[in-house]
Amino acid sequence: MTTNSLTTSQGAGRTGDKVFSGATLAAGCLILVVLFGVALFLVVQAIPALVAPAADIQGGHGFFAYIGPIVVGTLIAAVIALVIATPVAIGVALFISHYAPRRLASGLGYVVDLLAAIPSVVYGAWGAAFLAPQISPAYTWLATNLGWLPIFQGPASATGKTILTASIVLSVMVLPIITSLAREIFLQTPKLHEEAALALGATRWEMIKMAVLPFGRPGIVSAIMLGLGRALGETMAVALVLSSGVLTASLIQSGNQTIAAEIALNFPEASGVKVNTLIAAGLVLFVITLGVNMVARWIITRHKEFSGAN
């Protein structure tokens, strides 16, 4: 290669680097601009509901009295969904990455990825038409035998459309997301770490506990937070499965509501200050989601010493 051609190649490479760097910078700035625009729109549209007389807000006790029970219902549904889905997802991810034969692992990975692509309305229809009627007798049993616990206090819903049913549907929805991300993280564990643990006499489970899980901890946290984000913002599945009502401690009675479902069910017929109230509810959900992601980033930063990034 001559000196001129080498110089031309280096110049083209530097130009390509500058173009790519500029494009990535523009994309990052665009995301921030869009996020700021959404936040500004929500704040401006929510102000009339925040300053409106209490009698103009649904319930007649002001915006915060209206949104408080809905926030609690949203958090209850999301937390229960994560409690159910997280251990199952991690177990499935470990089976695919470290236990299943190669051909079976490949097929299971495709199935998990396909589950993540199913629309939420399909999960909601399944929950309303199949799961709720099938699980209703179990709720009756819980009310009869464990009704002394506030969370299982009767009378149980005859239709099965409760916050617990909605949480189970949400757990099925977030399961493939957490599983897919955790599987990819586990597969990136350095083979040297795994072989060193096995060489010291560790069993396969001890090797996973000492090498795979510590390495994948930041990725697991990221996967869980991503699943939590979907659980917090899920609309159609919850709207189809949950018989909304006042806030109650019982998980097997009709009642409770989530912010996303409240907006979806009431926005088409809303007018006047009711529209601003629903947008203000969206602002609250926006703040909750943003806070969850900030906490997740803080947790990941604290445990990044043993991550694949280093």
Side-chain angles (χ1 to χ4, degrees), residues 4 37 51 98 153 180 215:
N4 291 336
V51 301
H98 286 82
Q153 185 176 4
S180 296
F215 175 85

Side-chain angles (χ1 to χ4, degrees), residues 1-10:
M1 180 179 295
T2 63
T3 304
N4 291 336
S5 61
L6 181 60
T7 303
T8 302
S9 177
Q10 292 176 345

Side-chain angles (χ1 to χ4, degrees), residues 82 178 220-230 292-293 295-297 299-300:
L82 284 185
I178 301 176
I220 294 173
V221 173
S222 299
I224 293 173
M225 291 301 113
L226 186 60
L228 177 59
R230 181 171 187 184
V292 166
N293 282 277
V295 171
R297 295 303 308 172
I299 294 174
I300 293 171

